[in-house]
Amino acid sequence: MSQTDVANMANIQKVLIVGGGIAGLSTAIGLRRAGVEAEIVEIKKEWTVYHVGIIVFANFIRAMVTLGIADKCVAAGFPYHDLRFYDMQGNFLSSVGGAKLAGPNYPASLGLTRPALHKVLSETAMELGTRIRLGLTASDLEESAGRISVKFTDGTRGEYDFVVGADGIDSKLRGMLFGDGHGPKFTGQGTWRCQIPRPKDLDHALIYDGRSKGKAGVVPLTQETAYLFKVAAEPGNPRFPADRFAECLRERLEGFGGLIGEIRDRDITAASQIVYRPLEALILPTPWYRGRVLLIGDAAHATTPHLGQGAAQAVEDAVVLAELLPKDAPLTELLDAFMRRRYERHKFIVEASVQIGEWEQHPSPDADFIGLTAKSMEVTAEPI
């Protein structure tokens, strides 16, 4: 090993994580289990998350096992096996079954509320000794002699061996490192999500293909609850007043039959908990690091929900990073290894998700929604 390599050894003992979402908390858990000191700063003063559901596919559960949180997450959610596809009127088309990548003791898929996942992640991170500070973020970074000096928005400073940028799709750290030309782009669609009572016979996830009217689906979350999602074209990226959410969602579900139609007519009311978000995507060019600062999660690779992989890919980032950072090797070697293991996987997920959205907005005889979904399951089943 050269003298230069010795001088540039990672020697990571203390890490700052900017952002307390799924990527940041998962990274803290992984690093603490590896014996690395971890600190999180989160810009929100109140550490709350939207009361919506997420789809947890097998690769996500496999990553949860590595982090030691799978049992708690499975207990908090609704395990199921397959994803079933229907036409707009509820006629069965096909199904895609997931593999039990985490082993025979864990399900292939899981429905889970976002607050339940946040509870498991935040409680585990704190139990493992992660320091968490709310209401502030990094405002300036200064690297010298193998350390990073960070100035925070509250005027305080800290010294670290490494900084992880996990501050989401609107990442401030991304702009600080790479400039303002890498922000997310609106894809032309928006997603509507609403928690509903779980239909008593629903033991799987389902998607109705409305072709030019977009997709609608239902995922079980607990024995009592499920969530409905609707992806629709939203030309011009409009904004909607919250008091019209129920009306707007019902309008976008017009023409759907079967279970989706029943839910529209029975369960979507003015009192419903509905969340609307425009769909944006980005894939930051490689590499995602500068010196001793690395971006992960939505800060580097935000995807649309068409393949249900946004949260899964963030947690996989955390697993790989927590495996690599404690190693006794030059830092650039470790970060380049991270990029080799993560970039192409993310690129496929982002591009495939956006492609499905394009097919929904501009129907084509070559569109193969089910085939691309199955291909994504093959790709994400591969080792990370």
Side-chain angles (χ1 to χ4, degrees), residues 18 27 29 40 75 81 91 98 136 142 173 196 217 255 266 295 319:
V18 181
T27 300
I29 292 168
I40 291 175
H81 175 70
N91 299 303
L136 74 161
E142 200 173 300
L173 225 53
I196 59 173
R266 180 188 64 226
L295 300 183
V319 168

Side-chain angles (χ1 to χ4, degrees), residues 342-361:
R342 301 306 297 154
Y343 181 75
E344 290 299 329
R345 190 180 185 93
H346 289 309
K347 186 171 182 287
F348 170 81
I349 291 296
V350 172
E351 292 179 350
S353 298
V354 171
Q355 178 62 75
I356 291 175
E358 284 294 312
W359 283 337
E360 290 173 349
Q361 296 175 82

